[in-house]
Amino acid sequence: MKALVIGGDGYCGWATALHLSNKGYEVGILDNLARRHWDAQLGVSALTPIASIQQRIQRWKDLTGKTIDLFIGDITNYDFLIKAFRKFEPEAIVHFGEQRAAPYSMIDREHAVFTQVNNVVGTLNILYAMKEDFPDSHLVKLGTMGEYGTPNIDIEEGYIEIEHNGRKDILPYPKQPGSFYHLSKVHDSHNIHFACKIWGLKATDLNQGVVYGILTEETGMDEMLINRLDYDEVFGTALNRFCIQAAIGHPLTVYGKGGQTRGFLDIRDTVRCMELAIANPAEAGKFRVFNQFTELFSVGDLAEMVKKAGISVGLNVEIQNIENPRLELEEHYFNAKNTKLLDLGLQPHYLSDSLLDSLLNFAMKYQNRVDKTQILPTVSWHRK
Ligand code: NAD
Ligand code: USQ
C-alpha cells in the first residue's frame, strides 16, 4: 500500500515514515521543511544533530534498499499539493504537516494567524484533493487530546451520547482547547467531519497526547537517521524538556502547581498507532476519532519520575514550580478513554520501563549541545 507522510521531516513524521517503509509500505514524504526554518527564526536547534531530509532518505536506502519518494513543498499551495498527489497516488494520507507548538501560536497576532492559516488551509486543501482525485484514499490526520480541554467529566473518543429535554443523540464531544494552536485542530476536525459527510471520504482523527522519547527501531539503526528532540520553551514538550533539564543540572520547570494532567505516549507507540490506523481504515463517509495516548500523568508526577530516574544515574535533580506562563487549570479532574487503538492491537510501552533508555540516556549523551538560554518560558498567554 502507498502511504504519503505529510510532515515526514518532523518528529512524529520521520519516525512514522521509516516505520511504514520498514513494514513494507511504499512511502512518500511530503514536507516544506518549514519546521527547520521556524527553528532558525527562533534561534533554536534540536538536542540531536539531524541530517538533511535528502541525506536521511539516502542513508535509509543504503541501509535497507528501500526507497522513499520526496516531495518538497507547501500543502497550503493547492497546485503543488495536487501535483504531488497525482504523481504519488496515495492510498493512505498520513497528515502530520502542521505548526504544532501551542507557545508558537501564542507569541503574537502574526503567529496565531499563521498557525491557523497554515493548519486549517493545508488540511482543507488535502480534503479537496481527496474529493477531486482520490476519494477512496484514507486520511489519517493528527489531532490532539488538547481539543477536549479539561472538562469535569470523562472524555470519550470523539463522540458523546447526550440526553436533552427527553431526547437523545450522539454528538461530537465538546471542545475547549487551550491555545490558538489547539483551536486550529478543532477547526480541522470540523472541516474533516463535514467533508466525510458530504463527499463520503474516509478519515481517522487521531487525538494524540504528548509524545516523548527519541528511539524507534528504525531511527536507532544509524546516527544519520536520528530523530529530532526539542527542549526549547516553544517546541520542547514537558517530559522531553524535563529529561534534558535533568541532564544539564537545570531545575525541572513545572509550570504553576503542576497538577495539569495530560495523556502521554512513547514515540514507538505513535508509529505503531499510525500503522494500526492505516491497516484498519475508516468506512466511506465515516469520520472516526481515536484517542491516541497510553498513560495519564500530571506534570508534577512526571517531574518526580524524572528526578528519581536522574538520581539513579548520579544526576543532581531539583524541581522548581515556576510561574505558569499559560492560562490553564492547574488542578482538575481528567479521565480520558483510550480503548480503540488498544482494541486494534496496540501494546503500549510504559514510561516507567523506558524513561532511562529512550530519553534520559540520550539527553546525557548530547547535553553539550544544549543552549541554556532557551529553557525558561517567555511566551505568555496573559494579557499584558
Ligand atoms: P514537527 O514540527 O516536528 O513536524 C511537523 C512537520 O510538518 C515539519 O517537518 C514541518 O516542516 C511540516 N509542515 C508544517 N506545515 C507544513 C505545510 N504547510 N506544508 C508542508 N509541510 C508542513 O511536529 P511533530 O511533533 O512531528 O507533530 C506532528 C503532528 O502531530 C502535528 O500535527 C502535531 O499537532 C501532532 N501532535 C504532536 C504531538 C507531540 O507531542 N509532538 C502530540 C500530539 C499531536
Ligand atoms: N509544562 C510544564 N513545564 C514545561 C512545559 C510544559 O509544566 O516546561 C506543562 C504545560 O503548562 C501543560 C503541559 O505541561 O500543562 C503540557 O505542555 P506541553 O508543552 O508538553 O504540551 P502542549 O503544549 O499541550 O503540546 C504538545 C504538542 C502538541 C500536541 C499536544 C498534545 O506540542 O503538538 O498537540 O502536546 S496535548 O497536550 O494532549 O494536547
Side-chain angles (χ1 to χ4, degrees):
M1 194 199 273
K2 287 181 139 190
L4 184 63
V5 182
I6 299 176
D9 187 45
Y11 175 52
C12 301
W14 174 240
T16 299
L18 293 191
H19 183 71
L20 295 177
S21 175
N22 205 16
K23 293 288 168 190
Y25 286 84
E26 232 177 282
V27 174
I29 285 179
L30 186 158
D31 203 299
N32 64 354
L33 313 185
R35 179 54 208 287
R36 293 176 187 253
H37 178 63
W38 302 331
D39 280 1
Q41 277 181 327
L42 294 169
V44 301
S45 24
L47 175 78
T48 39
I50 51 171
S52 73
I53 186 66
Q54 292 84 353
Q55 287 172 317
R56 288 171 144 187
I57 288 175
Q58 184 60 46
R59 180 55 61 94
W60 179 246
K61 188 174 177 194
D62 293 344
L63 280 174
T64 63
K66 294 172 194 290
T67 309
I68 293 179
D69 292 340
L70 179 61
F71 302 89
I72 295 181
D74 193 319
I75 58 170
T76 63
N77 175 346
Y78 188 74
D79 191 46
F80 159 77
L81 178 70
I82 194 74
K83 282 185 184 141
F85 271 32
R86 287 181 184 148
K87 187 139 192 242
F88 186 73
E89 301 186 330
E91 292 163 277
I93 299 155
V94 185
H95 179 22
F96 292 104
E98 298 203 328
Q99 190 302 98
R100 68 106 176 121
Y104 189 93
S105 76
M106 300 301 288
I107 292 175
D108 56 16
R109 184 199 65 83
E110 199 187 348
H111 289 80
V113 170
F114 172 78
T115 299
Q116 294 211 351
V117 171
N118 185 65
N119 296 359
V120 177
V121 173
T123 299
L124 202 47
N125 278 345
I126 292 172
L127 293 169
Y128 265 92
M130 289 172 71
K131 175 216 167 209
E132 290 302 322
D133 282 354
F134 299 93
D136 298 325
S137 61
H138 175 208
L139 174 64
V140 179
K141 161 70 167 54
L142 268 292
T144 175
M145 283 301 291
E147 290 185 36
Y148 302 116
T150 52
N152 200 29
I153 57 170
D154 291 349
I155 294 174
E156 306 297 325
E157 299 199 59
Y159 298 89
I160 183 169
E161 186 175 65
I162 294 183
E163 187 171 344
H164 181 62
N165 292 344
R167 299 182 65 82
K168 274 191 193 167
D169 202 352
I170 294 175
L171 297 170
Y173 195 95
K175 307 289 172 72
Q176 302 182 79
S179 74
F180 286 120
Y181 151 71
H182 286 97
L183 270 154
S184 74
K185 296 284 190 185
V186 174
H187 305 326
D188 283 341
S189 295
H190 288 146
N191 286 342
I192 302 168
H193 194 171
F194 182 67
C196 288
K197 210 180 329 188
I198 59 169
W199 297 328
L201 302 181
K202 298 178 212 167
T204 304
D205 202 359
L206 295 171
N207 283 340
Q208 186 170 239
V210 189
V211 183
Y212 62 83
I214 175 157
L215 252 196
T216 57
E217 185 188 334
E218 295 80 15
T219 59
M221 282 183 190
D222 186 279
E223 185 137 31
M224 185 79 88
L225 302 178
I226 200 166
N227 206 345
R228 62 178 312 130
L229 191 66
D230 302 304
Y231 64 88
D232 62 282
E233 61 141 332
V234 171
F235 283 102
T237 48
L239 181 56
N240 290 348
R241 271 165 66 74
F242 290 167
C243 286
I244 292 156
Q245 291 164 358
I248 61 164
H250 191 289
L252 310 190
T253 55
V254 171
Y255 295 167
K257 293 185 185 138
Q260 302 93 307
T261 300
R262 301 286 184 269
F264 289 82
L265 74 164
D266 190 307
I267 190 153
R268 290 172 291 189
D269 293 335
T270 293
V271 303
R272 177 75 180 129
C273 288
M274 306 316 297
E275 188 189 349
L276 288 169
I278 295 171
N280 302 278
E283 289 162 34
K286 182 103 188 258
F287 176 61
R288 188 171 67 162
V289 183
F290 295 163
N291 291 346
Q292 181 170 316
F293 67 91
T294 58
E295 294 178 280
L296 299 175
F297 296 107
S298 73
V299 289
D301 289 344
L302 283 182
E304 291 294 343
M305 288 175 79
V306 172
K307 180 173 178 176
K308 202 168 147 208
I311 289 171
S312 77
V313 289
L315 296 171
N316 180 18
V317 186
E318 279 173 37
I319 297 174
Q320 198 171 32
N321 291 74
I322 61 175
E323 193 186 333
N324 195 341
R326 305 186 186 197
L327 283 164
E328 59 187 358
L329 294 181
E330 294 174 3
E331 285 171 322
H332 57 89
Y333 179 79
F334 195 80
N335 185 32
K337 305 279 170 63
N338 64 340
T339 54
K340 291 190 180 171
L341 283 157
L342 297 171
D343 291 346
L344 288 179
L346 176 67
Q347 291 179 317
H349 293 83
Y350 293 112
L351 180 59
S352 51
D353 302 327
S354 57
L355 191 50
L356 283 175
D357 287 349
S358 87
L359 207 39
L360 208 44
N361 288 341
F362 274 89
M364 287 159 72
K365 179 170 176 193
Y366 292 104
Q367 59 173 292
N368 291 336
R369 288 176 49 88
V370 175
D371 174 355
K372 291 184 184 164
T373 65
Q374 300 296 342
I375 289 179
L376 287 176
T378 59
V379 178
S380 171
W381 270 231
H382 297 258
R383 193 151 61 112
K384 297 271 162 27

